[in-house]
Amino acid sequence: MSDSVDPRVLGAFATHYGVLSRKQLLGLGVTPAEARRRVRNSDWIRVRHGVVTTAQIWAGLDEYVGRPLLLARATILQLRHGWVLSHDSAAHLLGLAILRPHGPQVHVTRPGFTNTWSKNGVTHHLASFDATQIVQIDGLASLDRARTAVDIARERGVRHGLVACDSALRMGIARDELEHAHAIMRRWPGVRAARTCVELGDAGAENPNESLARELVLEAGIGVPETQFPVRTREGVKWCDLRVGNHVIEADGRTKYQSTDEGGVASKPADAVAWDERKRERLVRDRRLGVTRLYWEDYWGARRADAITRLRADHADSVARFGSTLPETMAREAEAIRRASPRTTPPKGALPGVG
């Protein structure tokens, strides 16, 4: 900052999750002239009319979750009692993995006859919900994970909704809770898409990439994919993302090739990771299973049709070579592996995909 700031003001930013309103600043002894000067000097950033954060706080937040959540906090400071976070804003608060929409907005909901309008970067929803669907986290009121996932499905369609519902199930939400959230939405816009996502949701999809791969497999019409299929090889058990019959589908993302310093999960150089992947694929193929690899780019635009064509051809080749049904011995083996060492993976955060 250009000059010293009362440390109590900086402490207030920290204890109020990064944002302070004009009223709060005045209560801390900050004059309107000082506040304007700090915004003008870029020490503080005006995130909503009458609400600021510090440049340091803003710079430390990512564009996919951190900054949108800060904007949601700033919005709630200005609203009358009764509004709660919902949709994307609730997902960010609750840790749900979602696809980033075109033109991100802050979303808030309060009880009322179903209606929606947007103004100044905020989408306001009127909709029915009950008190049991409200949770309090870090000083913010929000609709819960089940309702949020179903709302996103209803608002944005199957692709976004499937990612959100998979994430909710992965985080421990029971399908009954999704059913309950959906039940109140009779005759609401988008309710059929929400119904589809509740039915198709699968906790075995470990991240949005795998959710999108499941959707693509279903669209290809080759069968209903089973998630997290274990294959015993001569070098140990290898878990495959999806399986249909004697064909497995791997959803590859860049994070597995990026180091932790770059935001990925790789503990070795990218070329070593790629080489390990090739060896792993060979081991899986040695068990008489075909393999298709899907990439994030395969889910969008013209590449989607190409990916579906490739997947159908790969699957047909596996059927011709190995049959259409998984051998009973391999099915029993997989079930035994699951019982002995169930696959558990911590929830992943939101990804920067745009549907």
Side-chain angles (χ1 to χ4, degrees):
M1 292 188 179
S2 58
D3 57 352
S4 60
V5 181
D6 186 331
R8 291 171 294 185
V9 175
L10 296 179
F13 275 112
T15 56
H16 289 80
Y17 303 100
V19 290
L20 291 174
S21 68
R22 182 177 183 276
K23 181 178 179 180
Q24 289 170 324
L25 289 169
L26 292 174
L28 291 164
V30 178
T31 65
E34 180 186 357
R36 288 194 297 271
R37 176 170 56 83
R38 294 196 180 281
V39 170
R40 188 170 59 251
N41 293 341
S42 299
D43 296 330
W44 292 352
I45 295 173
R46 184 181 290 113
V47 290
R48 297 286 300 173
H49 180 71
V51 183
V52 298
T53 188
T54 72
Q56 183 178 18
I57 290 171
W58 184 255
L61 299 172
D62 71 276
E63 64 177 299
Y64 302 115
V65 176
R67 291 181 180 180
L69 185 54
L70 192 79
L71 291 173
R73 289 188 180 281
T75 299
I76 286 293
L77 278 176
Q78 300 173 304
L79 294 177
R80 296 176 182 175
H81 180 72
W83 292 96
V84 299
L85 295 185
S86 63
H87 298 73
D88 301 8
S89 299
H92 296 324
L93 181 67
L94 299 167
L96 280 178
I98 62 171
L99 296 178
R100 191 183 190 207
H102 294 292
Q105 297 257 309
V106 173
H107 289 263
V108 293
T109 296
R110 67 176 173 83
F113 292 107
T114 307
N115 193 14
T116 300
W117 70 95
S118 296
K119 184 177 181 181
N120 298 327
V122 180
T123 299
H124 303 77
H125 304 267
L126 299 182
S128 299
F129 59 87
D130 57 58
T132 63
Q133 292 178 300
I134 301 176
V135 295
Q136 297 280 342
I137 299 177
D138 294 339
L140 289 176
S142 165
L143 293 177
D144 64 16
R145 289 187 177 106
R147 174 58 185 263
T148 296
V150 176
D151 270 339
I152 288 173
R154 188 176 59 82
E155 181 86 6
R156 287 207 193 96
V158 171
R159 187 164 302 163
H160 285 255
L162 194 60
V163 170
C165 287
D166 283 358
S167 179
L169 293 167
R170 190 164 63 243
M171 296 183 80
I173 298 302
R175 196 177 304 275
D176 286 351
E177 295 177 76
L178 295 179
E179 295 276 2
H180 173 73
H182 174 268
I184 198 173
M185 298 177 178
R186 289 188 296 273
R187 298 189 180 89
W188 289 14
V191 68
R192 291 182 63 185
R195 172 81 263 166
T196 297
C197 295
V198 170
E199 292 174 351
L200 293 179
D202 189 332
E206 293 187 334
N207 51 56
N209 199 351
E210 293 181 17
S211 296
L212 295 174
R214 286 204 308 117
E215 183 203 22
L216 190 140
V217 170
L218 289 166
E219 185 176 332
I222 63 173
V224 178
E226 178 183 8
T227 57
Q228 304 311 320
F229 182 73
V231 179
R232 192 181 302 283
T233 75
R234 62 179 179 275
E235 293 186 14
V237 174
K238 307 300 180 184
W239 291 83
C240 299
D241 296 334
L242 305 171
R243 180 193 64 82
V244 177
N246 291 303
H247 194 78
V248 301
I249 301 97
E250 296 287 359
D252 289 330
R254 293 183 62 186
T255 55
K256 70 167 62 175
Y257 303 102
Q258 294 175 317
S259 69
T260 52
D261 292 340
E262 298 171 316
V265 297
S267 59
K268 58 180 72 175
D271 59 340
V273 175
W275 181 243
D276 287 345
E277 281 295 308
R278 297 304 298 172
K279 292 193 294 183
R280 178 182 183 276
E281 181 176 323
R282 184 182 62 191
L283 291 168
V284 170
R285 288 183 182 277
D286 286 347
R287 291 299 312 271
R288 296 178 60 79
L289 295 168
V291 179
T292 294
R293 310 200 78 89
L294 296 176
Y295 306 95
W296 187 261
E297 295 81 3
D298 288 332
Y299 309 131
W300 320 103
R303 286 193 57 164
R304 184 175 184 86
D306 292 341
I308 289 174
T309 298
R310 174 164 55 90
L311 177 59
R312 286 172 175 163
D314 290 350
H315 176 260
D317 181 64
S318 292
V319 170
R321 296 174 62 196
F322 313 126
S324 60
T325 305
L326 187 74
E328 185 63 29
T329 53
M330 186 172 283
R332 288 198 300 267
E333 183 180 86
E335 187 59 32
I337 293 170
R338 286 192 174 110
R339 287 197 301 267
S341 55
R343 176 80 160 180
T344 56
T345 300
K348 307 292 197 302
L351 291 183
V354 179

